Amino acid sequence: MSIRDSAPDKDDSSGQGGGKGTRYSPELWETIRKEWAVNPSMSYAAAVKTIGARLGVPVPSKGACATYADRNNWRKDGAESDQAIVAPREPVVPAPSEDPAPRRPRSRSVSKPAVPAADASEVVDDETHGLNPKQRRFADFYLISLNATEAYKKAGYTAEGNSAEVNASRLLRHDQVAAYIAERQAQLQSKLEITQEMVLQRWWDIASADPNELVEYRRDNCRFCWGNAHAYQWIDNDEYMREVVRHMRDEEKATEAGKKFHREPPDGAGGFGFVKNHAPDPCCPKCDGDGVGYVHIHDTRRASGAARLLYAGMKEGKEGIELKTHDQMRALDSVARHIGMFKERVEVDMTVASTNDLDEIYKTKMAEVRRRAQQFIGRGERLRSLTNGESNGDLQDHEHADR
C-alpha cells in the first residue's frame, strides 16, 4: 500500500492536519522523519509542508509532528530513534519547483545528558515499570533536584517555556513514573534509615530552640559605672597611654595648622579594670543604671543541639555581621500539620447508586423543581390581581388554598 492509498483513519487522535482525531499511516510518518532528518536546518513545520506538497495527501500539523517526534525520539544525525517505526520506503514524486521557505530551525541538543550513577542494589528493572530511557532519566534527575521542569530538560526532552512545565507536570503524574520514583525514594529512605519520627523531631528542635543561645541584646555597665568617683574608667594602662599619645598628636597638628584645640586631655582618675560585660551600677550618674546596649553574637561552636539546628550561617557586609536562622514559625507549622492539628475534616458520601436509583432521584428532583416553578407562577398571578383591585382577603384565601 502506497502513502497516497493510505487514507487517514478517524478513530485516533495522532494528528490534526486531516481533521481532529485523524490517524496517519506509519509510512507517512517515516517519510516525514527522513525528510526532516537529512536536512539539518529543516523544522518540523517545513518537513510536513514539503511532504504535503510533494505527495498531495493530508498531513499532520506541526504540533502533532513535534509530539510524535518527541515520543519516538527522532534525531537529526540520521540515527534510528529508540522507538523508530520500520516501514518500507515508497517511491516519492519529485518536489515541485516552489519549495516553501524553511522556517528558523529550533535549537536542538544532540548530546544526551549523563545519567546519574546508581548503586547496583538500587537499580529498578525498567521492564517492571514500563519506562523508556527518557522517562527513566527524568525520574533519576527528579530524585536529585526535585525540580520537575529541570529534570524534564536534562532528560533530553525538547519542549521549552510553559510547554516544558506542563509536560513535566504531566510526566510526573504518569503511573509508571510515579511508581518508579516512589520505589526509589523508599530505597533511599531505607538506606539512610530516615523515619518520620526523625524528621518530626528535627522540625520540633528548630521550632523550640532558644534564639538567645545564638544572639542576644545586652545592657551592661558604662565606662563611668564603676570608676573611682564615677569618673571614666580605663581597661588598663596601655589603653590609657594610647589615648594620651593620640591626644598629644592631635593637639600638635591643630597648633601647626593655627587652629584652637579644645579637647580635654585624658584623665586617669577613674582608674583601671573596666570589664565590658559587668552589670550596670544603679547609682551611676551617667547612665542612671541603664548601662549601654549592644548586640552580642555567641560562639556558634558552643551552641546546644537545638540552637545549632536553628543556626543557618553568617553574612558579613558593610553594615556589619548578620546571623541567619531557620524560620521557627514555619517549623512549628510543619509540626502542627504533621500531627494533624490543622487538618480539615471533610465528610464525603461515597455511596454507589445504580442507574435505576439515579433515574428515580432525577425524576424526584425535577418534580420538585416543577412544583416550585408553579408556585412562583401562581404568586405572580395573585400579585397582578392584587394590583388590579383584588382585596387582601382574597389574596390570603389563595395562599391558604396553595398550602
Side-chain angles (χ1 to χ4, degrees):
M1 179 178 66
S2 65
I3 297 177
R4 290 189 180 89
D5 295 336
S6 59
D9 186 359
K10 302 294 184 180
D11 295 334
D12 198 1
S13 56
S14 302
Q16 298 179 354
K20 188 175 180 180
T22 303
R23 180 179 180 181
Y24 299 94
S25 64
E27 292 81 3
L28 179 60
W29 283 116
E30 182 66 13
T31 303
I32 295 174
R33 187 195 69 79
K34 292 183 178 180
E35 182 70 23
W36 171 82
V38 297
N39 192 343
S41 63
M42 179 170 286
S43 64
Y44 293 133
V48 168
K49 194 171 183 180
T50 301
I51 295 302
R54 181 184 302 169
L55 303 181
V57 297
V59 292
S61 65
K62 64 176 183 179
C65 184
T67 302
Y68 187 89
D70 186 63
R71 185 185 306 161
N72 291 275
N73 199 21
W74 286 8
R75 287 287 179 264
K76 271 289 188 182
D77 54 8
E80 293 295 333
S81 61
D82 296 339
Q83 300 176 356
I85 299 176
V86 180
R89 177 166 182 149
E90 299 287 340
V92 295
V93 181
S97 57
E98 296 182 358
D99 276 344
R103 296 183 182 179
R104 184 178 179 181
R106 298 193 306 176
S107 60
R108 302 179 64 85
S109 176
V110 178
S111 61
K112 296 183 179 180
V115 179
D119 194 356
S121 61
E122 298 177 356
V123 176
V124 180
D125 187 6
D126 287 347
E127 295 181 359
T128 304
H129 294 277
L131 301 182
N132 59 39
K134 277 190 176 181
Q135 292 172 337
R136 167 68 182 274
R137 289 196 296 269
F138 166 79
D140 289 337
F141 282 118
Y142 176 78
L143 288 169
I144 295 175
S145 64
L146 298 181
N147 187 318
T149 305
E150 179 182 346
Y152 180 84
K153 295 177 180 180
K154 288 184 177 181
Y157 293 99
T158 57
E160 298 290 340
N162 185 58
S163 298
E165 296 179 4
V166 173
N167 293 341
S169 177
R170 184 182 298 113
L171 188 58
L172 194 61
R173 296 192 302 268
H174 192 275
D175 292 340
Q176 284 78 10
V177 175
Y180 174 79
I181 292 176
E183 185 168 340
R184 286 296 307 275
Q185 288 176 334
Q187 291 176 350
L188 293 174
Q189 178 178 342
S190 176
K191 184 177 180 180
L192 298 176
E193 297 182 353
I194 298 177
T195 62
Q196 294 184 3
E197 290 76 10
M198 294 172 60
V199 176
L200 181 60
Q201 183 63 45
R202 179 65 63 91
W203 279 116
W204 177 247
D205 289 341
I206 294 175
S208 59
D210 184 6
N212 284 313
E213 293 189 33
L214 298 175
V215 60
E216 59 184 355
Y217 181 75
R218 290 181 173 179
R219 298 198 68 88
D220 293 328
N221 61 177
C222 69
R223 288 279 186 163
F224 301 89
C225 280
W226 304 109
N228 298 329
H230 292 292
Y232 191 93
Q233 186 180 30
W234 303 92
I235 297 176
D236 51 25
N237 187 63
D238 292 339
E239 182 190 25
Y240 172 70
M241 293 306 300
R242 284 195 302 269
E243 185 62 24
V244 170
V245 172
R246 187 172 69 88
H247 182 273
M248 295 175 59
R249 290 177 179 174
D250 292 343
E251 187 176 12
E252 291 177 0
K253 290 180 181 179
T255 303
E256 293 175 358
K259 298 180 182 180
K260 292 183 179 181
F261 190 75
H262 301 286
R263 196 172 68 200
E264 294 292 333
D267 184 9
F272 308 110
F274 174 76
V275 179
K276 182 180 180 180
N277 59 357
H278 277 184
D281 183 2
C283 300
C284 178
K286 291 291 184 179
C287 67
D288 295 329
D290 293 333
V292 178
Y294 61 97
V295 177
H296 176 74
I297 299 177
H298 290 279
D299 189 346
T300 57
R301 297 173 300 176
R302 301 175 182 176
S304 65
R308 190 182 295 271
L309 294 176
L310 180 63
Y311 175 65
M314 289 280 191
K315 180 181 178 182
E316 187 173 5
K318 60 181 181 180
E319 297 181 357
I321 298 177
E322 176 185 354
L323 184 137
K324 297 181 178 181
T325 60
H326 295 291
D327 191 342
Q328 288 188 286
M329 293 306 299
R330 181 188 173 194
L332 186 60
D333 181 75
S334 298
V335 172
R337 293 183 183 278
H338 186 85
I339 62 179
M341 292 182 64
F342 301 151
K343 185 177 181 181
E344 297 181 359
R345 298 184 179 274
V346 180
E347 295 183 359
V348 180
D349 187 4
M350 299 297 293
T351 303
V352 179
S354 63
T355 305
N356 294 333
D357 295 336
L358 294 176
D359 291 339
E360 291 297 330
I361 294 173
Y362 173 78
K363 292 177 182 179
T364 303
K365 294 296 182 181
M366 291 303 298
E368 179 68 18
V369 170
R370 286 192 291 268
R371 186 182 65 81
R372 292 186 178 182
Q374 291 298 328
Q375 287 182 353
F376 283 114
I377 294 173
R379 291 177 182 176
E381 293 177 352
R382 290 194 295 276
L383 289 175
R384 285 194 296 270
S385 299
L386 180 61
T387 56
N388 293 332
E390 185 173 349
S391 64
N392 293 334
D394 295 336
L395 178 61
Q396 293 176 359
D397 293 339
H398 283 298
E399 293 179 349
H400 286 299
D402 289 339
R403 296 175 183 173

